[in-house]
Amino acid sequence: LRFSYDWKFGKSTLTGMLDVFNVFSDTNALTFNDTYESRPGTADPNYLRTNLYQAPRNVRLGVKWTW
């Protein structure tokens, strides 16, 4: 999601930007442990557990100057 606003200064433009990533702060699983056996004949206790979750909500401020 991006919000931006332009300020004009003669022939140049200054743009302020606010970017929001993961707006709803979802924590979806991105990867799983898919190793069934940790050693031959021994089931891995972490099988199908989540290795990586989606990053939490993140905000970025930015400025762009065009001349």
Side-chain angles (χ1 to χ4, degrees):
L1 183 63
R2 173 176 275 191
F3 300 99
S4 64
Y5 187 78
D6 293 336
W7 290 277
K8 303 242 185 237
F9 299 103
K11 293 182 179 181
S12 61
T13 303
L14 183 67
T15 304
M17 296 170 285
L18 173 71
D19 296 319
V20 181
F21 302 94
N22 194 5
V23 174
F24 301 111
S25 199
D26 292 335
T27 55
N28 296 329
L30 298 178
T31 62
F32 296 91
N33 181 356
D34 59 356
T35 305
Y36 182 71
E37 294 180 326
S38 56
R39 288 180 286 163
T42 305
D44 187 352
N46 294 321
Y47 179 62
L48 293 182
R49 286 201 181 159
T50 303
N51 289 337
L52 180 66
Y53 288 97
Q54 184 175 1
R57 183 179 302 122
N58 194 349
V59 178
R60 177 174 63 188
L61 293 173
V63 177
K64 180 174 75 169
W65 182 20
T66 307
W67 67 92

